[in-house]
Amino acid sequence: MSSATIVRDVLTGLDEAYGDERWHWMPQFVRGPIDVVAGAILVQHTTWTNAERALESLRAAGALDAAALATLPLETLAALVRVSGTPSIKARRLRAVAAMIEDAAGLPALLALPLPDLRAKLLATHGIGPETADAIALYAAGHRTFVIDAYTKRLARRVGIGPAGDAYDAWQRFFEDALPHADAALFQRYHAAIVLHGKTLCRARPRCASCPLLDLCPHGRASTTSQRLLDAVASGAS
């Protein structure tokens, strides 16, 4: 079975398993693109629950727009997002994003840019790396770009696919080449399903026995076989 076939089978399986679950950045749940842009900064190195609380804090203060983020004192902005952790760092990053948005003549104009231009602007902004840039491009602008994160790499390696090393661009090309006919909406669903799977089952210590991908995953089959042997030994000893 080719790597491309495994990619499609894995992602189809995940979409079937998690496709009906709520994902905060899917279009039907997003209040507006600024939630995605600011949320992509606030969720760095924390949980989405904490990022969402910080978003609500900004919204309640009337600060969840580029103009307000650009003019609020950094100390005030940091206090509003404290719940998301590293508040001073995230305040500076939000300020940088706001300046970039205003320089682009507003958020609608920014998100209307072609993907290469949008991605270049995002990557040139303080605090935005490839994963954050692609999350914004995919979920806020609706561009067809595959988001690579730690969950994606861990899952791929466990099923035995993916490029060597950790280079972001190589991983992104691998998935995009394997899915030539998938559109942005499907990329959104696939990324959401990967994250949901990574949080619930394919964790650092995986729960392989319940995995919907067990038949496709050598790591999972080996893990469950080992666990059955351990259980048999324990049962015999008792």
Side-chain angles (χ1 to χ4, degrees):
M1 187 182 297
S2 70
S3 292
T5 299
I6 295 172
V7 168
R8 291 192 290 270
D9 288 349
V10 164
L11 294 179
T12 298
L14 290 180
D15 192 45
E16 291 173 353
Y18 299 99
D20 294 331
E21 294 194 26
R22 188 183 190 281
W23 172 248
H24 48 266
W25 282 341
M26 293 300 284
Q28 62 268 38
F29 301 122
V30 173
R31 296 196 191 188
I34 190 64
D35 285 65
V36 176
V37 176
I41 298 294
L42 294 170
V43 79
Q44 293 172 355
H45 308 297
T46 190
T47 65
W48 177 249
T49 299
N50 289 336
E52 194 167 37
R53 290 169 64 192
L55 281 174
E56 290 307 315
S57 176
L58 290 170
R59 198 188 315 277
L64 193 54
D65 66 71
L69 292 172
T71 56
L72 270 181
L74 282 173
E75 296 81 2
T76 303
L77 188 51
L80 289 171
V81 303
R82 185 171 303 280
V83 69
S84 68
T86 58
S88 296
I89 292 172
K90 289 180 179 177
R92 289 194 296 272
R93 290 178 178 178
L94 287 170
R95 172 68 60 78
V97 169
M100 182 264 297
I101 291 172
E102 294 208 318
D103 184 64
L107 189 55
L110 174 72
L111 298 179
L113 292 173
L115 177 59
D117 297 338
L118 172 61
R119 202 167 185 268
K121 280 187 174 293
L122 291 169
L123 290 174
T125 302
H126 172 68
I128 295 185
E131 180 184 336
T132 301
D134 285 326
I136 292 170
L138 176 62
Y139 288 104
H143 283 299
R144 183 188 183 277
T145 184
F146 202 92
V147 181
I148 301 298
D149 58 12
Y151 295 118
T152 305
K153 292 179 182 178
R154 183 165 68 200
L155 170 63
R157 284 172 172 149
R158 283 176 174 169
V159 299
I161 57 176
D166 288 316
Y168 187 96
D169 290 348
W171 278 91
Q172 187 176 64
R173 282 196 303 272
F174 173 79
F175 278 94
E176 292 186 354
D177 287 349
L179 301 163
H181 304 299
D183 59 11
L186 201 52
F187 276 14
Q188 290 174 347
R189 289 174 63 89
Y190 283 164
H191 177 250
I194 289 171
V195 176
L196 290 167
H197 187 59
K199 288 179 177 292
T200 56
L201 295 177
C202 198
R203 304 165 70 168
R205 295 183 65 180
R207 300 171 178 175
C208 298
S210 303
C211 181
L213 304 177
L214 190 58
D215 289 344
L216 296 169
C217 183
H219 182 277
R221 292 196 301 273
S223 177
T224 53
T225 299
S226 297
Q227 188 60 54
R228 284 196 296 270
L229 290 173
L230 290 172
D231 291 344
V233 170
S235 177
S238 62

